[in-house]
Amino acid sequence: MTDNKTPAAEVAALQPAPRGMGVLKAAFRERRTLAMLLLGFSAGLPFAMLIGTLNAWLTEEEIPVATIGILSWIGLFGAFRFLWSPAVSWTPPLIGKRFGRRRSWLIVLQITIAIALGLVALSHPSAGTLAPLAMGAALGAFAFATQDIVIDAWRIEVADETTPIDLLSTIYQLGYRTAALTGGAGALLLASAIGWPGVFVVGGLLMGVGILGTLIAPEPEPTSRSAVARERRGSPRMRLIVLVATLTAWAWAAFMLVRFMVTALTTSPAPSAGSFTAAWGPWIVGATVVLPAVLAGLIVWKGSAPAAATEATGRSSFADTLYDAILAPLVELMGRLGWGAVIVLGLILTYRITDGVWGPFAFPFYMGDSGGALGHTNAEVALASKTFGVFMTIAGIALGGWALLVIGRMWSLLIGAILSAATNLLMMDLAMGAPVIGGFMQSTRLYDLFGAFQIGEPLARLMLAIAGENIAGGFAGAAFVAYLSALSNKTFGAVQFAVFISLALLIGTLGRGALGELVDAQGYAPMFAIAAWLGLLAVGFCVLEWVRDAAERRKAAARG
């Protein structure tokens, strides 16, 4: 008699993978989703407090907008995180054996962020010196930028068909924006009760949420180093030359940026950030982005030639180890993308510039009283931007997550780029007195709706503009993080994703100092107009990337 039973493993393999919204049901049975939510909170809280809420404190202390713009350059730690991203490939001593590589890094960094927030709490910007505050903020920015590297690598490494990268990226964004609500609106309201130093102490304590997420998170399986060895293209001499050139260029760029920031914060009158950006910005971008990409492309073009000594002995020199950590991820990326890297890099550089370039000036715009600023109070901004606005961002993230699962990644990416560019015009209208928004709300009787909740016309206009801006930003953010995560190779996830995010932050961060001076001279409206025009570049690159991606998929299908 023939046994017609199919083995259980084969039956499981024949079950269709969850699709569309069905992925959600399968995913929320996994502890990875809860860990991702808590780690997203851990990533978003220090960013909200040091890049956003800290500026509200400085605005209250009547620190000039141009100085706030220079202080916002602590965001360059995020823009240049790829410089030290290879370091997280090693396991920290002492706790590494117990918690594993990713989780031990997370614990160390979360404790460091808590300490940095405490140092900011001990500073006194009203005393006329910003050096202690800047040092605490810089330590926190370095630590949270490094934490982001590890969280991004963890997300890429643990993703699978049950918890796909698009879904994990959306959950990460939800956690991140929940932290923005806590570190934004919560901090503004709490400041009225306990003062700004107390707010930053509470922020440090809330980093315990991140530690809880780390303890829940499973440690990913370590990736094989054999894949790294295969990327040792070119002769050992070429690899050494390229490595030295890259490290030298990065060190020079870091020195130039740190020197200017220290000079600007410790001398009076401060040097012009606009002049520095105009003179050195292109060179810094070239040294940190263009040169390494060109050198990695040169290695790819020269072809593979693993070092004979390494192959024979199985051992690597220190230079090979550095190459594996720093340049092999770039070489793999350039080899995989080819000339398409130009399109990918263009998309990454421009996609989030529309928000990032003016983000640090949001509080001065909402709370200031000159240059088209709106003059709202702490409580009003807490309601409009950091409560209502965050809920609107979460709504945008939810829409983005739905779009990723239903209409696909490239459609979502394009729609996000269009919305991000267009909604800057809402803020420009506010800065010009809200002729369009005001007329729209009058004709649609939205003023009456807001009035039913005791919200006056000026605040109602701000809330409507923030709703459009934040829904677009949440949608675009979900699509962008999913796109970058999918673009990263699991073997090189930490470095490649750090490079991608650094590129996304770089241009906008470098431009903030000059924009601060533009606002002081011409008001806020020109800044929003510039952001809207820059957004059109991202739309164009999205179209080109869609064409490139479709062509690559056709080639892969033809190869079978």
Side-chain angles (χ1 to χ4, degrees):
M1 182 174 180
T2 306
D3 186 359
N4 293 320
K5 291 183 179 181
T6 306
E10 293 184 21
V11 172
L14 292 172
Q15 296 297 318
R19 295 180 179 274
M21 300 302 287
V23 174
L24 289 174
K25 183 177 180 180
F28 279 102
R29 300 182 186 134
E30 294 273 350
R31 64 171 174 155
R32 288 174 290 181
T33 54
L34 176 58
M36 188 77 272
L37 186 68
L38 298 180
L39 291 176
F41 184 93
S42 179
L45 183 68
F47 182 87
M49 299 200 70
L50 294 174
I51 305 298
T53 300
L54 179 59
N55 293 339
W57 185 5
L58 297 175
T59 300
E60 277 196 0
E61 299 293 344
E62 299 183 351
I63 304 299
V65 175
T67 302
I68 294 175
I70 293 171
L71 277 171
S72 74
W73 279 24
I74 62 171
L76 286 171
F77 283 114
F80 286 94
R81 69 182 70 178
F82 66 91
L83 295 176
W84 61 90
S85 59
V88 304
S89 299
W90 289 281
T91 302
L94 302 179
I95 66 172
K97 185 175 181 179
R98 176 178 176 80
F99 293 102
R101 178 178 56 173
R102 299 301 184 206
R103 298 201 305 160
S104 56
W105 269 114
L106 287 173
I107 290 173
V108 169
L109 292 165
Q110 287 156 354
I111 292 173
T112 303
I113 293 168
I115 292 172
L117 291 173
L119 292 176
V120 172
L122 296 175
S123 64
H124 301 283
S126 59
T129 174
L130 295 176
L133 182 144
M135 291 176 61
L139 174 63
F142 174 80
F144 81 63
T146 310
Q147 180 191 224
D148 287 350
I149 297 171
V150 184
I151 292 175
D152 294 334
W154 180 86
R155 181 178 65 250
I156 292 166
E157 290 168 357
V158 301
D160 58 20
E161 290 185 357
T162 304
T163 51
I165 195 67
D166 289 353
L167 180 63
L168 285 175
S169 299
T170 301
I171 293 172
Y172 167 81
Q173 288 283 305
L174 288 172
Y176 195 98
R177 297 302 175 174
T178 302
L181 178 64
T182 304
L188 288 173
L189 295 175
L190 196 60
S192 302
I194 64 175
W196 287 110
V199 166
F200 282 87
V201 170
V202 172
L205 295 175
L206 284 176
M207 287 305 298
V209 173
I211 294 176
L212 177 61
T214 300
L215 297 177
I216 292 173
E219 178 67 17
E221 290 293 328
T223 54
S224 172
R225 299 298 292 177
S226 62
V228 176
R230 286 197 298 270
E231 294 304 321
R232 289 188 190 147
R233 306 188 183 192
S235 66
R237 184 170 179 271
M238 172 182 281
R239 293 201 301 271
L240 180 61
I241 292 172
V242 168
L243 179 65
V244 171
T246 299
L247 292 177
T248 301
W250 286 0
W252 171 82
F255 169 76
M256 294 295 292
L257 289 165
V258 171
R259 185 181 69 170
F260 176 80
M261 188 172 178
V262 171
T263 302
L265 293 174
T266 56
T267 61
S268 182
S272 168
S275 298
F276 174 84
T277 303
W280 294 105
W283 292 101
I284 291 172
V285 172
T288 56
V289 178
V290 178
L291 178 63
V294 170
L295 292 176
L298 179 63
I299 291 177
V300 172
W301 177 65
K302 285 292 186 181
S304 288
T310 300
E311 287 185 324
T313 64
R315 295 191 299 270
S316 297
S317 67
F318 179 68
D320 277 334
T321 302
L322 285 179
Y323 175 89
D324 292 346
I326 295 171
L327 279 173
L330 299 178
V331 171
E332 188 277 337
L333 182 67
M334 296 299 292
R336 176 157 44 96
L337 296 178
W339 288 105
V342 175
I343 297 174
V344 171
L345 293 177
L347 172 59
I348 294 171
L349 284 169
T350 59
Y351 194 80
R352 296 317 307 273
I353 194 173
T354 54
D355 321 290
V357 74
W358 67 266
F361 305 111
F363 278 115
F365 175 56
Y366 299 151
M367 299 167 63
D369 56 7
S370 63
L374 306 179
H376 290 289
T377 65
N378 265 7
E380 289 174 334
V381 173
L383 172 64
S385 177
K386 299 305 177 182
T387 305
F388 177 76
V390 171
F391 283 118
M392 292 299 100
T393 301
I394 292 173
I397 293 169
L399 286 173
W402 172 85
L404 285 165
L405 294 173
V406 176
I407 66 175
R409 191 177 299 137
M410 294 311 301
W411 262 117
S412 301
L413 200 67
L414 179 60
I415 292 171
I418 294 170
L419 292 175
S420 294
T423 51
N424 278 279
L425 301 178
L426 296 174
M427 294 298 174
M428 185 180 73
D429 185 66
L430 282 183
M432 297 173 66
V436 176
I437 292 176
F440 173 78
M441 298 189 74
Q442 187 72 44
S443 63
T444 58
R445 304 186 68 84
L446 281 174
Y447 279 140
D448 295 337
L449 176 61
F450 279 96
F453 296 94
Q454 305 299 311
I455 296 173
E457 292 185 2
L459 184 57
R461 291 192 294 267
L462 175 63
M463 291 177 73
L464 183 66
I466 284 176
E469 175 73 23
N470 288 19
I471 288 173
F475 189 103
F480 192 51
V481 171
Y483 167 74
L484 295 183
S485 299
L487 195 62
S488 302
N489 182 308
K490 280 195 175 187
T491 303
F492 305 104
V495 176
Q496 287 182 351
F497 197 90
V499 170
F500 295 152
I501 291 296
S502 296
L503 291 173
L505 295 173
L506 184 59
I507 302 298
T509 305
L510 284 174
R512 288 171 187 167
L515 278 183
E517 295 175 359
L518 175 68
V519 169
D520 280 343
Q522 300 182 32
Y524 287 92
M527 177 180 69
F528 294 119
I530 290 171
W533 279 110
L534 289 173
L536 294 180
L537 293 174
V539 174
F541 278 116
C542 280
V543 174
L544 292 175
E545 171 62 359
W546 198 339
V547 173
R548 185 200 71 82
D549 183 68
E552 289 297 322
R553 290 177 184 275
R554 286 195 298 270
K555 289 180 182 178
R559 289 193 297 264

